Amino acid sequence: MKVLINGEWRDSLSGKMFAVHNPATGDVVGEAPLCGEDDLRSAVEAAGEAFADWSAKNPRDRGKILFFAAEEVRRRNRELGSLLTAEQGKPIREAVDEINGFANILEYYYALSAGERGEYQNLRGYGHTLVERRPLGICGAIIPWNMPAIIMGWKIGPALVAGNTMVLKPARTAPLTCGKLAEILAGAGLPPGVLNVVTGPGETVGREIARNPAIRKVSFTGEGGTGRQVALDAAPALKQLTLELGGSDPMIVCDDADIRMAVEGVIRGRFYNCGQTCTAVKRLYVYESIADEFIRHLRARVEEIVVGNGMERGVSMGPLNNRPGLDRLVRQVDAARERDEGEIITGGRAPEGKNYGRGFFFLPTLITRVPQDSVLFSEEVFGPVLPIATVTDLDEALERANDSRYGLGASVWTRSTDVIARVTRELEAGIVWVNQHLRTPPEVPFGGTKESGIGRENGRRALDEYTEEKTVLIRLQ
Ligand code: NAD
């Protein structure tokens, strides 16, 4: 790929490229420009020049371009999904779902664009008051590799419909799909400079997004440590920030839960995308009275998961996306093993066989009897490993679920309305699911509390995050 700056596809100023590898095979899938701060600065200049015309357009006309792009994305979902599988690793079915999810997001913001209005009041003694929502200007988006298409959609949808221009940096291990999606947006009529895509290292290109004073807002998704660095870099220019950071979502399974339904909830909630989802089920608390039966069913289902290259028929879980991610997961499992923190009842290692050659594979893993102070509970486990503990009642379940510095998502599985009423009130999380987990429709806000982040994406509220209010008071003479 090349980078998109001011409507042109260019090489980096240095002319250097980096290779993108298939995490299942180690093969090179493509190349992307190795940009630096100078490339980013020219993208910011282009975004600055495009702002006046773009922000002056009727919001519906901005939305229409996103809508046309969404149609084309859907038409090419298989081709785009294959590219996503090749660079990211997820099974093709999940990849096509993600591409369709990107189209859903664009369509949703098109629908909202028609309703973009300010407020009017006739205030006695002050006259006519208008509250307009104005776009912020140039916005920066920094995205991770785990759900590149969806997270790109979460950022560009509201930012562009609201009238901002944008500079976006994909992750180094999954930039190619983002490049193709930007190409489709340009083909659908997005004017030059409105969306610029710059690839390269976080330490240079990403940091320049955070630091560059012409960028008025940064929306970052990634690890907490990186998010803190972004906040520090953005502080001197007092930028607006949205930080979508890590999570360690608890799932509570009560004794009246539909066991088969809850087991399927774990299969999708933990092992979808090889466990590399911010709102994956990362801690399982199951009532002691049903634990044996629940774990027996769960283990049987986990052992049916077929690990392999996501392009192959029948594969239900791909590799991890990158070597550091696999190394970190192995370190966490080894630490738990060395400290005798729980019992590995299935998995716990990489699969063996020539099919797994140079891929970053790890078997789906269940670890029972995990103590609350284990690294598996205190750190974010970003891979297909599920620590499980039993609880005696709801008080204990809630206490242990809330005993985390994270607060992204959480779920409870029960038939009791009393339990639902209590847990939805008391769980410390930005999203609480009941008898489901992981589902994040664009219509409702998404984001975390505590150290899982600041701000929200999705929903109408996301438009507020990319605009600021201007109050006008008019006294007629
Ligand atoms: P990461 O923080 O390593 O990288 C995210 C992005 O930041 C990449 O594009 C990277 O190049 C860039 N970056 C790195 N250093 C930077 C710096 N100093 N300044 C600016 N940008 C920099 O995260 P990752 O490993 O790509 O993603 C996994 C993490 O993302 C997990 O913790 C996961 O939970 C989290 N995540 C959160 C959400 C959410 O919405 N809350 C969604 C998906 C992923």
Side-chain angles (χ1 to χ4, degrees):
M1 75 175 276
K2 292 184 186 286
V3 289
L4 177 62
I5 298 177
N6 208 13
E8 283 172 30
W9 291 91
R10 303 190 197 165
D11 290 321
S12 65
L13 291 170
S14 70
K16 291 188 186 152
M17 306 287 283
F18 63 91
V20 180
H21 296 271
N22 184 325
T25 61
D27 297 343
V28 173
V29 181
E31 288 192 312
L34 186 66
C35 294
E37 288 94 337
D38 286 353
D39 297 278
L40 199 276
R41 283 193 276 269
S42 60
V44 171
E45 212 171 290
E49 281 167 17
F51 179 69
D53 284 353
W54 181 247
S55 58
K57 272 188 188 298
N58 182 313
R60 218 169 339 115
D61 291 334
R62 293 194 291 258
K64 263 187 218 159
I65 297 174
L66 269 55
F67 184 79
F68 293 143
E71 275 192 328
E72 180 67 1
V73 167
R74 271 188 209 291
R75 204 182 59 74
R76 291 170 55 184
N77 61 8
R78 178 83 199 179
E79 167 208 334
L80 292 159
S82 303
L83 181 62
L84 181 55
T85 294
E87 65 175 345
Q88 200 278 343
K90 63 186 66 186
I92 180 71
R93 207 179 46 182
E94 290 181 13
V96 171
D97 276 358
E98 182 174 341
I99 297 297
N100 290 338
F102 175 84
N104 285 342
I105 297 163
L106 297 194
E107 287 161 359
Y108 173 67
Y109 284 102
Y110 163 64
L112 286 190
S113 68
E116 259 302 89
R117 292 206 175 84
E119 289 167 23
Y120 162 80
Q121 287 184 75
N122 186 355
L123 267 187
R124 299 242 171 265
Y126 297 90
H128 301 276
T129 67
L130 308 174
V131 183
E132 289 179 36
R133 291 214 76 100
R134 301 292 309 152
L136 300 171
I138 307 170
C139 296
I142 304 174
I143 64 177
W145 44 263
N146 63 333
M147 307 282 292
I150 287 283
I151 295 171
M152 176 172 173
W154 286 356
K155 298 189 191 311
I156 67 167
L160 300 188
V161 161
N164 302 282
T165 56
M166 193 162 235
V167 174
L168 177 139
K169 190 198 97 60
R172 272 189 81 163
T173 54
L176 305 176
T177 310
C178 295
K180 277 276 173 237
L181 294 172
E183 204 177 293
I184 290 174
L185 279 150
L190 205 61
V194 171
L195 174 66
N196 306 275
V197 178
V198 181
T199 50
E203 299 69 32
T204 51
V205 177
R207 284 200 87 174
E208 184 60 22
I209 291 181
R211 283 174 169 158
N212 193 304
I215 295 180
R216 293 311 310 146
K217 179 203 170 88
V218 180
S219 179
F220 168 84
T221 301
E223 284 209 327
T226 322
R228 286 174 174 80
Q229 183 63 54
V230 167
L232 286 171
D233 285 337
L238 289 178
K239 297 183 187 195
Q240 305 219 20
L241 282 179
T242 301
L243 300 176
E244 296 288 1
L245 310 176
S248 185
D249 288 14
M251 168 169 169
I252 300 170
V253 185
C254 301
D255 53 1
D256 65 340
D258 178 327
I259 288 188
R260 284 182 194 280
M261 191 177 164
V263 164
E264 290 313 308
V266 179
I267 295 299
R268 186 175 155 77
R270 173 72 279 195
F271 300 104
Y272 171 83
N273 199 18
C274 196
Q276 304 162 113
T277 309
C278 47
T279 47
V281 174
K282 295 185 183 140
R283 298 178 287 142
L284 180 65
Y285 298 110
V286 55
Y287 275 43
E288 211 166 69
S289 51
I290 57 158
D292 287 349
E293 187 189 354
F294 185 85
I295 291 167
R296 196 174 61 248
H297 282 295
L298 179 60
R299 180 180 176 172
R301 278 290 287 118
V302 165
E303 290 176 351
E304 285 170 14
I305 293 175
V306 180
V307 179
N309 183 333
M311 284 311 287
E312 282 169 18
R313 190 179 282 274
V315 164
S316 45
M317 196 180 89
L320 283 104
N321 171 260
N322 53 68
R323 168 63 63 190
L326 176 61
D327 289 348
R328 180 179 144 100
L329 186 72
V330 169
R331 176 187 61 71
Q332 289 169 324
V333 172
D334 285 350
R337 205 183 259 128
E338 275 157 29
R339 294 179 210 165
D340 213 8
E341 292 173 348
E343 184 190 344
I344 299 175
I345 59 164
T346 187
R349 60 178 174 80
E352 285 156 8
K354 64 176 172 25
N355 285 351
Y356 301 110
R358 290 184 293 155
F360 305 132
F361 294 101
F362 200 81
L363 284 172
T365 298
L366 297 176
I367 309 182
T368 54
R369 295 191 291 107
V370 176
Q372 187 66 15
D373 59 359
S374 165
V375 289
L376 298 173
F377 281 149
S378 60
E379 293 183 6
E380 181 180 34
V381 176
F382 215 59
V385 172
L386 182 63
I388 305 170
T390 55
V391 289
T392 49
D393 57 22
L394 197 57
D395 287 337
E396 188 187 0
L398 279 168
E399 192 185 319
R400 296 180 77 167
N402 287 338
D403 176 23
S404 171
R405 60 201 166 99
Y406 295 112
L408 192 53
S411 67
V412 64
W413 299 69
T414 181
R415 291 183 168 94
S416 157
T417 47
D418 286 349
V419 171
I420 293 169
R422 182 165 170 213
V423 294
T424 52
R425 199 171 51 237
E426 292 186 25
L427 275 173
E428 295 166 2
I431 310 152
V432 176
W433 289 280
V434 178
N435 297 324
Q436 53 182 321
H437 200 113
L438 203 70
R439 306 174 80 200
T440 53
E443 290 83 357
V444 288
F446 177 92
T449 179
K450 302 202 277 191
E451 292 184 29
S452 287
I454 301 174
R456 292 290 181 268
E457 298 195 291
N458 284 352
R460 286 179 173 275
R461 160 91 199 265
L463 288 170
D464 295 349
E465 299 236 353
Y466 285 97
T467 49
E468 57 195 352
E469 288 168 324
K470 179 185 261 187
T471 305
V472 181
L473 294 120
I474 303 171
R475 198 167 65 184
L476 297 175
Q477 295 196 331

